[in-house]
Amino acid sequence: MPVVTPDKLVALQRNAEDVRNICILAHVDHGKTSLTDALIATNGIISPKLAGKIRYLDSRPDEQLRGITMESSAISLCFSMARRTAPEEQPAQKEYLINLIDSPGHVDFSSEVSTASRLCDGAVVLVDAVEGVCSQTVTVLRQTWIEHLKPILVINKIDRLVTELKMSPGEAYVHMGKLLEQVNAILGSFFQGERMEEDLLWRERVEEKVAAAAAKEQEKLLQRKADAVNGVNNDDIASEATASTDGEFEERDDEDLYFAPENNNVIFSSAIDGWAFTVRQFATLYEKKLGIKRSVLEKVLWGDYYLDPKTKRVLSSKHLKGRALKPMFVQLVLDNIWAVYEATTGGASGKGDPVMVEKITKSLSLAVPPHILRSRDPRALLTTLFAAWLPLSTALLVSVIEQLPAPPDAQSSRLPALIDASPGASHIDPLVRDAMINFKTGTSDPIVAFVSKMVAVPASELPQNKRRGGMLTAEEARDMARKKRAEIAKAQAVSTEDLLNDSGGITEALTNTNLHGDKETNRLGTEQKEDAEHLVGFARLYSGTLTVGDAIYVLPPKFSPTSPHASPEPERITVTALYLLMGRGLESLTSVPAGVVFGIGGLEGHILKSGTLCSQLEGSVNLAGVSMGSEPIVRVALEPVNPSDLNKMINGMRMLEQSDPCAQYEVLESGEHVILTAGELHLERCLKDLRERFARCEIQAGEPIVPYRETIANTSEMDPTKNKDAQRGTVLGVTTSKQITVRLRVRPLPISVTEFLQKNTGATKRFYAERKAADESRGADKLREEMVDVDDASDNNTRNTNLLSVADFKRELTEAFDEENEHQDVWANVVDNITAFGPRRTGPNLLIDTTQNRICRRFLQETQEESLEEDHSLDNSSSSTLTPEAFSDKISYAFQLATAQGPLCHEPIQGIAVFIEDVTVSPAADEDAAGRDNLGRLTGEVIKTVRESIQQGFLDWSPRLLLAMYSCEIQASTEVLGRVYAVLTRRHGRILSESLKEGTPFFTISALLPVASSFGFSDEIRKRTSGAASPQLRFHGFEMLDEDPFWVPSTEEELEDLGELADKENIAKGHMDKVRARKGLMVTGRKMVKDAEKQKTLKR
């Protein structure tokens, strides 16, 4: 296999029409990296015999050890194929550049999928022929839909249908047809949802046009002062207005949306055996033999079409007339594939047939080396036959070149929507927009590039530090071999230690990953300290030509062209290096044209995770808006074993935060240094990187910090209310000086209202930013600063560009309250009296002002005139006398504090409403103390009193804890189903569904699992099932644990059944006590000594 030099790849970058930027997406273990190996082998980088085994793009030792991809890697490949420039001309060889990105399939690393897909123009989506559509398959298909990538479907691991499931060709055809329907059903659901949204927006536009036209006609009538008899009535106006608007909603055609083998966007393959084919390949093969045109064969090879053996004509199913014919795909394609497996590996019998092999090689005119024919290894013969007949790389790369768009075509279709959705789209320079959409690559054209993530690269791996030319000396070779042996030994030792360790504690498992004791390893660690890590940007150039030494602006994620010089002002940096990404290595470049995926140096310290590079500041575009597939949910406090290494650890965590798209680093109020990760496996990888690459010191990991939420419920088992003269939840709070009295009432919010507020936290944050900017009259610049990334403040399900207006928000919130059937009188007119949301001014809790004189400002004000009028009425008070209105902001601040730390275990509260019923200011004994001069003294008293009153009202109801939950999907065979259920039950999981995949012996189990019980869950499942089942965990949200943490047996029946000590374990109290103990709060009911007379240590 000829080796392709980097110089040749650089030369191919100049012709954008011959470039393809693709990413490979799939569920974990569906064969992405094995497929990539076959493509890499075509460039002579690895041997074709090692394709599928070496996993070339898995460059990390832990990736090789676990057999899964953890980081997305890019490589540039050259592919040559014969193309005709015109139908009558002879085919000529033409070379193409394929920029390929291999992405992880594990749910913990789905953020890597998001960063990879933004840089590409097309996607190759793999689906396992046996496992079918899995949870991550749906995720990657949604990602291709969001990013407007054109996908190709690869049905991989078809060999498992032959060797494992022992299917006949006919059964395999039916199975793959159902699999194709499942994938298309997912795409159809995306299309239907988008179409319904477009229909709604179209109807709103039509209504606006009708109203505008009617108003215009009405003005004309008034101006003309026409006679009422000769005038145009309102019905005519409405009809004219309707006629002037768009006629009907234009339906979009979804014909090209779906995967269909006849459209050549479906590839059938087995990456491990090195073969793949499309319908077009077999249509070309049978064109002369059957005397049917290739274009016709492409349409009938897949589907209910049959070949008449006598007339050689193609029949549809209705013309069979009772004859039992095989579908053409089975007869002409699958039968031949099955025959090769039968002849080489023996299929079900287990013995090959040399006579059949010879017959196959002659009929297909295949040249197989004699030593392969004599080999006792049937797989060697199998892979050689398929490599000569149906090479995987040819089928895949030809489909990529023919089906996926080149950068100029892709940018003209993808970028308009992307640019319009960016912040301040109306202020983008037309030259920048035109250069991006029309793919201008001149040196004078604007430069726009998007950096999707930062990659940490050791200094020794940079091209300028590598040895150039010549062979290694003996000493250098021995040193390299010693380092590699040490890496492999360390990885194997970690693996062995984890397997031997049966304890489920994550702390011990993670601590064991740091092995020190071998002198050779310690010596290597000393050597590696000099090998510093450098950050390289993983980027895509959309317009212009970027050269080393160019000065460009780095736009932060919150940048908007409406105010380009607002603080923090974008920095201007100089490009120090450009790199060609080649998997495990980098190659230096001097310049990069548009449409290429590349690496860029000089961004260290200027970009945190992602950002946009632009050659101009005014009118530039901000493309930083990658939605991560999973939010970090697992928090762990870290500390160095040696306190003197604290600065090393802090610097290492900052570098880790920059190099990992999903990891976050923060310092808690307690001073703890905390790292946030997407899951247990992601945490383990981050700790390994910290210890070995970034911090290079021994680090201890504490117990995982799992988030909880607190709420209240209205149940029949509640204790009697503490204030019998008032409603439940009512508290009368009096300040220490007895000068301020606050009466408030706490109630649980309806579930529909809580869900609505959680989905629209972005809108509430925007309302607060607009209100604060208007109050302080800071204009558009300050408004943009205050509107901190709305998407970051909300969950994944709130990430949308269509934030509600105030009027729409009030209307939908009122509808949510109307869904509550009980206590409708309590929630009547509540929306107009909302004063604040909490915690952090955006949470799902409401502060409602029901005082007689309305002392607090309304939060949801539709017009600025309403706000000014209300401000005037609130401020129209004496400047020397204290009034309740003076404490409105203090009450709101106390509400924020109370909802941020609940009374159970200082976790955020959700789903409560606090009604301020009355605030009374009593005159002080000293007349001088009654003025506003003492407002500062009373501020602290009011905040403390209101906060304690809200907590007392909270505890007057039945308190509940909300647990963070994972949605868990497990594929398991019938033999291990019981063991999976046992593990789930022991960890308090709840089974949602169980379904048998038709045609396979595998069950798909969907369950909910508390995050607090999930640590060590994946390892336990694999151990109990001997590796036959592997779970995928994704954050689902918070779910109420329907158990009062303060419950004790009180009735005679409960005391008789459970005893005074309540033998039944209170799970909610266990969670609450664990969190309180971690935070250093008092834990009630815990006895240090129990039955002391039995704990004597004296000898008898």
Side-chain angles (χ1 to χ4, degrees), residues 69-127:
T69 305
M70 297 183 184
E71 289 182 349
S72 54
S73 303
I75 192 168
S76 296
L77 303 174
C78 173
F79 180 66
S80 177
M81 63 179 290
R83 298 296 296 269
R84 283 189 175 96
T85 55
E88 64 277 359
E89 293 186 8
Q90 291 295 322
Q93 288 296 118
K94 192 173 183 181
E95 293 181 333
Y96 293 86
L97 176 67
I98 311 291
N99 292 319
L100 183 146
I101 303 178
D102 181 27
S103 62
H106 196 282
V107 67
D108 279 11
F109 309 109
S110 54
S111 57
E112 296 276 352
V113 178
S114 305
T115 59
S117 58
R118 173 58 66 91
L119 303 180
C120 297
D121 303 319
V124 178
V125 180
L126 271 72
V127 178

Side-chain angles (χ1 to χ4, degrees), residues 565-583:
H565 296 284
S567 177
E569 188 166 350
E571 300 179 57
R572 189 178 177 92
I573 62 106
T574 301
V575 178
T576 58
L578 296 172
Y579 302 107
L580 178 67
L581 303 171
M582 291 299 294

Side-chain angles (χ1 to χ4, degrees), residues 162-163 340-353 378-379 381-382:
V162 187
T163 57
V340 174
Y341 276 97
E342 189 74 27
T344 53
T345 61
S349 63
K351 292 183 179 180
D353 187 352
R379 284 198 54 80
L381 180 58
L382 174 72

Side-chain angles (χ1 to χ4, degrees), residues 474-516:
E475 183 61 32
E476 289 174 337
R478 281 193 294 269
D479 187 54
M480 181 180 293
R482 185 169 59 249
K483 289 182 180 180
K484 290 295 181 184
R485 283 197 299 270
E487 287 181 7
I488 295 171
K490 181 185 275 191
Q492 289 176 345
V494 173
S495 162
T496 306
E497 191 74 21
D498 288 342
L499 289 173
L500 294 175
N501 183 14
D502 285 329
S503 65
I506 185 175
T507 307
E508 184 179 353
L510 293 175
T511 306
N512 286 339
T513 60
N514 191 16
L515 301 175
H516 294 277

Side-chain angles (χ1 to χ4, degrees), residues 461-474:
E461 297 294 327
L462 295 176
Q464 56 266 33
N465 298 330
K466 284 186 177 181
R467 181 187 179 88
R468 288 290 178 185
M471 297 178 62
L472 293 174
T473 64

Side-chain angles (χ1 to χ4, degrees), residues 922-967:
S922 303
D926 185 3
E927 293 183 0
D928 296 336
R932 288 181 175 266
D933 296 339
N934 292 312
L935 184 62
R937 175 179 60 81
L938 293 175
T939 294
E941 293 184 11
V942 170
I943 292 174
K944 177 184 175 184
T945 301
V946 173
R947 180 182 181 184
E948 291 177 350
S949 299
I950 292 175
Q951 292 181 345
Q952 290 176 23
F954 182 96
L955 294 175
D956 205 14
W957 298 84
S958 183
R960 292 288 188 272
L961 275 179
L962 294 167
L963 305 183
M965 303 295 286
Y966 276 136
S967 63

